[in-house]
Amino acid sequence: MRSEVLFKGEHVISGYISDRRGIRPGHAVVSDGQVISVNEGEAEDADLRAVMVRGVVNGHTHCADYGLRIPPGMGLEELVAPPDGLKHRYLRESPEDVLVSSMSSFSSDSASFGTDYFVDFREGGPEGCRMLRTASPDALVLGRPLSPVFDPEEVSELLDVADGIGIPSISDMPFDYIEALADEVRSRRGIFAIHVSERVREDIDAVLSLDPAFIVHMCEATDDDLLKCAEAEVPIVVCPRSNAYFGKEAPVARMQSCGVDICLGTDNGMLASPDMMAEASHMLHLIEAQGGDPDGVWGTMSNVLGKLLYRQKAIIHPTGTDRLAVIPMDGDDPLSSLRGYDGHGFGLEIKGV
């Protein structure tokens, strides 16, 4: 059944529902392309069998580079390391209307895949955050200052616009600058997040001393690093497709065994579409190859992000929009829908449920 058919008349999708309560049999009734009820238990007569994931949150994005097409063979530092990686040059040199268009396209595509909202590490200082606010109602904005030294006025202006601050790693900025940023974010009850151990292992004690709401990547982390994150209740956002592009791999099975809360993100728009179902498919293959628990993949799409955001600050969804990510499936194994995922998933808006 093609997804377009769901936009005409009333239909039933049956199979499994995955949300913050876990995955279980369920079905949804769709009327003219909008979900009007989500119910426990499978339906006998269904027009489509699928896994339906509710409350999907993309935990880490850089949406402004969605319009950048990158040449093959570029390494991690050459492409994304501040201040002069290709991405950063593109962001500096592109006109505002081009960047806003990229952000808007990213947001629209994200919604079409059923994502409720995305957490964006927005470069460009206060103005960069304003551009994203203009471009997308679905973005939770973590800004980044432009000044090479801590500027209280700039940071205050940034936090007037953004929901918090998201920065590169402790290898990319002076630590006293990062400490000052983290202190200011906490004083404003915002969200502070940081990339960690993506290229090289970094000092997890120093990172955790900043009291981040969450951290991103941890490809080079040791078991001791992961255990400290679990003990501190600091979730880790993993971006399998982006990591794979650079020959990196997050130790997700070890994260599971250490008790880490794992979230999922699509990272740079120039590298991967904002399709969280595609990201979950890569995550599943990674978990299985590493000998982890494959059923844990469902929670990475929706369970943890809501918990961490409400833990840090009472942030509600920016627009109140509630969507259902639909992954068509064959047979009775919900994981098979991800193993064979080929971009055939889609999103539906939920009304009054």
Side-chain angles (χ1 to χ4, degrees), residues 8-22:
K8 299 176 182 178
E10 189 165 293
H11 302 276
V12 175
I13 307 173
S14 184
Y16 293 87
I17 298 288
S18 176
D19 57 21
R20 292 176 190 169
R21 294 168 53 200

Side-chain angles (χ1 to χ4, degrees), residues 35-299:
V35 177
I36 59 173
S37 70
V38 180
N39 311 281
E40 300 286 331
E42 293 198 48
E44 290 186 7
D45 297 317
D47 300 291
L48 176 68
R49 283 192 58 76
V51 179
M52 294 156 279
V53 187
R54 189 171 187 175
V56 175
V57 179
N58 189 338
H60 179 62
T61 68
H62 295 273
C63 69
D65 57 43
Y66 197 39
L68 174 61
R69 297 297 173 261
I70 60 177
M74 294 194 77
L76 181 60
E77 292 192 51
E78 190 179 9
L79 183 58
V80 300
D84 293 317
L86 176 63
K87 180 190 83 167
H88 296 281
R89 298 199 307 274
Y90 170 80
L91 296 179
R92 282 198 303 268
E93 296 165 7
S94 296
E96 179 176 329
D97 62 333
V98 171
L99 296 179
V100 170
S101 177
S102 291
M103 296 177 202
S104 180
S105 295
F106 183 98
S107 179
S108 176
D109 289 349
S110 176
S112 75
F113 287 116
T115 298
D116 276 1
Y117 63 98
F118 57 95
V119 183
D120 197 78
F121 278 41
R122 180 75 276 268
E123 298 92 345
E127 186 55 36
C129 295
R130 291 189 189 98
M131 281 191 274
L132 182 51
R133 289 289 190 216
T134 298
S136 174
D138 292 334
L140 194 150
V141 184
L142 302 185
R144 183 181 301 177
L146 291 172
S147 173
V149 295
F150 182 74
D151 180 346
E153 291 187 6
E154 181 194 27
V155 174
S156 178
E157 183 183 2
L158 188 64
L159 292 173
D160 286 341
V161 183
D163 299 294
I165 288 179
I167 62 170
S169 70
I170 60 173
S171 300
D172 296 316
M173 300 174 68
F175 193 72
D176 58 349
Y177 185 179
I178 297 173
E179 284 184 308
L181 288 174
D183 288 343
E184 187 64 21
V185 174
R186 277 195 298 272
S187 74
R188 295 281 293 266
R189 298 181 61 80
I191 297 168
F192 179 77
I194 183 171
H195 299 74
V196 186
S197 295
E198 182 181 11
R199 303 188 303 267
V200 297
R201 185 191 175 206
E202 291 164 323
D203 185 348
I204 195 63
D205 292 318
V207 170
L208 294 178
S209 74
L210 301 168
D211 192 25
F214 65 93
I215 59 179
V216 184
H217 295 309
M218 293 290 278
C219 296
E220 302 299 330
T222 65
D223 284 356
D224 187 54
D225 297 336
L226 299 176
L227 287 167
K228 288 178 178 178
C229 290
E231 182 179 347
E233 297 184 330
V234 174
I236 299 172
V237 178
V238 176
C239 308
R241 288 186 293 168
S242 171
N243 293 156
Y245 180 88
F246 298 112
K248 295 288 185 180
E249 184 177 288
V252 290
R254 289 197 285 119
M255 291 179 186
Q256 288 181 328
S257 65
C258 290
V260 171
D261 285 330
I262 308 171
C263 315
L264 199 60
T266 59
D267 208 354
N268 292 95
M270 63 186 174
L271 296 177
S273 67
D275 182 352
M276 283 287 283
M277 294 169 278
E279 204 69 42
S281 177
H282 278 68
M283 173 70 99
L284 175 61
H285 290 297
L286 195 59
I287 291 172
E288 292 184 322
Q290 295 177 0
D293 175 13
D295 286 322
V297 70
W298 300 111

Side-chain angles (χ1 to χ4, degrees), residues 329-340:
M329 60 183 290
D330 295 318
D332 295 321
D333 179 10
L335 288 173
S336 67
S337 64
L338 289 180
R339 288 194 189 94

